[in-house]
Amino acid sequence: MDRPLKEHGLLQAIVRVNRTCGEKKKCGYVVDYYGVTDFLEEALAIFDREELGQPMESLDSIFKQMLSYREAVMAMFVGVEKDNLDALVRIIEPEDKRAEFELAYKRFASTMEQILPAHVPTEHINDLRWLGYIRAAAKARFEPGKELDIADYGEKVKKLISEHLESLGVRQWIAPVTLFDSDFSSKMKTLKSDEAVASAMEHAIKNVIHVKMDDNPVYYTSLLEKLQQLLEETKNNWVERKKQLEEFINGHMQKGEQHEANALGLSVEEYAFFETVKKYLSESADVTATANCVKEDAAEYISQDIIELSKGIAKDVSEIIRQNYVVDWTTNLTKTGDIERAIYMMLNTRYFKQIKMNIRKQLVQPLLMLAKKHYAVLD
């Protein structure tokens, strides 16, 4: 601004400058050569201040705010060596700490975006890069299935962080990391210690279990329990934990449901029914004497009778759904009710001798939920 502007004209000029444009322009900049901002208070007096808010803020005040945000986020890592990535990431391992870090980091990045490229010392830019590196490492370790978002800070900060991660050779950390990526092993090798690798593997496994839990709740709950036992047994022994997690991935995760289903002569969908039925029957005291579960030395052994009974029910449920299938049955209450009744009738007519009435009733809803998950659309 290089000429006198007052009242409505001054505010209109500021409003035009403040028009944003997505990620490329988050705010506007007013360069006042004339001194017209001295008339700002006079201009605001004729408008509702609460409605207008703060129409303009000096770069000096934003810089001071940036320093405050920087101090808050940097304070989280006081006392930890700046090049000890494992220790730094461990600071924000708890979910509440990661949420605190995320908020503090975004505030720091957002205010820096507003004042770049001028007015920002190199040391503060380097602090932001360093924090971005920690953030990427934490994402890779604790949230491998989630993509790292670096786009919401504006173009200038995005470029700073992106180029820094590229230079460190960890650009791939931005994309989701899953157990089933073809380059999963090579990504793990970029981590610098057994602790980092073990931690990344642990959270990658947990991510898969979380994603697939609804597909087969019994199976994946069992896997989660096995994982927790493994973690407890290898506490503070990162070399052994890494080794056992690799075996866990190669055994339980890579082979997974398909291997177990094939061994029983079932499809993956039928295997989900099987696991649910088996759980209800083995835990029930009302199952007939020929279908009892034997416990020995705290280990549970499921009788062959229960296994065969569970397989039969799994196949029958699958067949019932295919026979009664109609389009949109999972969202239409009447159609859903038809299949629910068909499942219940099948249990009552075919298995009334082997399974007590209360257990048959308990089985209907879990089987129906799995049916909705796996048979919403038939091939």
Side-chain angles (χ1 to χ4, degrees):
M1 298 191 294
D2 59 359
R3 58 191 177 88
L5 291 171
K6 294 185 178 181
E7 298 179 350
H8 183 271
L10 176 57
L11 289 180
Q12 188 178 51
I14 294 173
V15 168
R16 286 174 175 170
V17 168
N18 275 337
R19 286 175 181 164
T20 59
C21 184
E23 302 301 328
K24 293 185 178 180
K25 180 172 181 274
K26 297 239 178 207
C27 62
Y29 300 91
V30 176
V31 183
D32 183 11
Y33 291 104
Y34 190 86
V36 294
T37 49
D38 294 339
F39 302 104
L40 183 58
E41 287 300 320
E42 180 183 332
L44 292 173
I46 63 175
F47 294 93
D48 185 343
R49 287 298 297 266
E50 290 187 5
E51 184 177 332
L52 283 174
Q54 181 71 19
M56 190 163 63
E57 195 172 0
S58 72
L59 287 177
D60 284 339
S61 67
I62 297 174
F63 178 71
K64 290 177 182 178
Q65 190 176 56
M66 184 199 74
L67 292 181
S68 175
Y69 289 151
R70 171 190 171 274
E71 183 177 350
V73 68
M74 295 294 285
M76 296 183 69
F77 303 100
V78 169
V80 183
E81 294 180 15
K82 293 194 71 172
D83 59 351
N84 188 343
L85 187 60
D86 288 342
L88 293 166
V89 169
R90 201 181 304 122
I91 293 292
I92 54 175
E93 181 170 1
E95 286 191 23
D96 60 334
K97 280 295 182 182
R98 288 207 302 280
E100 179 186 345
F101 170 73
E102 189 72 10
L103 178 60
Y105 177 85
K106 285 184 175 181
R107 285 174 171 171
F108 181 32
S110 179
T111 50
M112 184 177 289
E113 172 71 22
Q114 294 179 58
I115 55 181
L116 281 170
H119 217 68
V120 182
T122 302
E123 63 178 297
H124 295 160
I125 293 176
N126 288 338
D127 287 339
L128 186 69
R129 288 170 173 154
W130 178 71
L131 291 166
Y133 178 48
I134 296 172
R135 185 169 178 255
K139 196 283 306 181
R141 190 172 303 184
F142 306 127
E143 301 176 293
K146 182 179 178 182
E147 185 167 358
L148 178 67
D149 185 7
I150 61 171
D152 58 349
Y153 310 128
E155 292 295 310
K156 290 172 284 187
V157 165
K158 178 182 175 182
K159 184 178 180 182
L160 277 175
I161 300 302
S162 182
E163 289 178 350
H164 185 57
L165 294 180
E166 189 79 47
S167 70
L168 293 173
V170 294
R171 188 77 171 88
Q172 73 274 14
W173 289 1
I174 294 175
V177 180
T178 72
L179 284 180
F180 308 114
D181 289 344
S182 58
D183 59 346
F184 177 77
S185 295
S186 62
K187 287 178 179 178
M188 291 300 99
K189 290 178 182 177
T190 66
L191 302 174
K192 305 300 183 182
S193 69
D194 291 322
E195 177 184 351
V197 174
S199 182
M201 286 182 174
E202 172 194 338
H203 287 86
I205 292 169
K206 286 180 177 177
N207 179 66
V208 172
I209 292 175
H210 174 74
V211 170
K212 290 182 170 288
M213 182 63 76
D214 289 343
D215 290 351
N216 193 333
V218 176
Y219 176 77
Y220 283 103
T221 297
S222 174
L223 276 193
L224 186 59
E225 291 171 353
K226 291 175 182 176
L227 176 63
Q228 296 294 357
Q229 182 178 352
L230 183 158
L231 297 176
E232 184 63 29
E233 292 173 352
T234 57
K235 187 182 295 184
N236 300 324
N237 188 340
W238 298 109
V239 174
E240 182 61 24
R241 176 173 291 187
K242 174 186 170 185
K243 176 185 174 183
Q244 290 198 31
L245 285 172
E246 287 174 344
E247 293 174 356
F248 191 94
I249 290 171
N250 294 331
H252 297 296
M253 306 307 295
Q254 296 292 353
K255 294 178 180 179
E257 292 173 280
Q258 189 66 64
H259 175 76
E260 300 289 342
N262 289 345
L264 292 166
L266 302 172
S267 67
V268 171
E269 295 80 11
E270 291 168 346
Y271 181 63
F273 295 141
F274 167 82
E275 285 284 273
T276 296
V277 174
K278 185 182 70 172
K279 176 178 181 293
Y280 273 82
L281 297 186
S282 61
E283 289 181 351
S284 172
D286 293 323
V287 184
T288 56
T290 58
N292 277 331
C293 156
V294 179
K295 291 192 175 180
E296 185 177 304
D297 295 330
E300 187 176 274
Y301 298 91
I302 307 301
S303 74
Q304 191 62 35
D305 289 336
I306 284 183
I307 291 174
E308 293 302 322
L309 185 57
S310 301
K311 283 172 60 177
I313 294 174
K315 291 182 177 181
D316 286 343
V317 172
S318 179
E319 184 61 27
I320 285 290
I321 297 164
R322 292 182 183 278
Q323 290 175 355
N324 292 272
Y325 177 85
V326 287
V327 176
D328 297 332
W329 77 269
T330 60
T331 55
N332 184 302
L333 291 179
T334 300
K335 297 174 183 177
T336 301
D338 291 341
I339 288 185
E340 180 179 359
R341 283 188 292 274
I343 293 173
Y344 186 48
M345 287 300 296
M346 178 271 295
L347 291 172
N348 285 335
T349 56
R350 299 182 189 177
Y351 298 99
F352 69 94
K353 290 184 178 180
Q354 298 99 318
I355 306 173
K356 295 293 185 180
M357 173 63 78
N358 65 318
I359 304 301
R360 297 201 298 270
K361 287 182 177 180
Q362 292 173 23
L363 278 171
V364 175
Q365 283 303 314
L367 292 175
L368 183 65
M369 294 304 294
L370 288 172
K372 285 183 175 182
K373 181 71 177 178
H374 292 288
Y375 292 92
V377 178
L378 288 182
D379 297 333

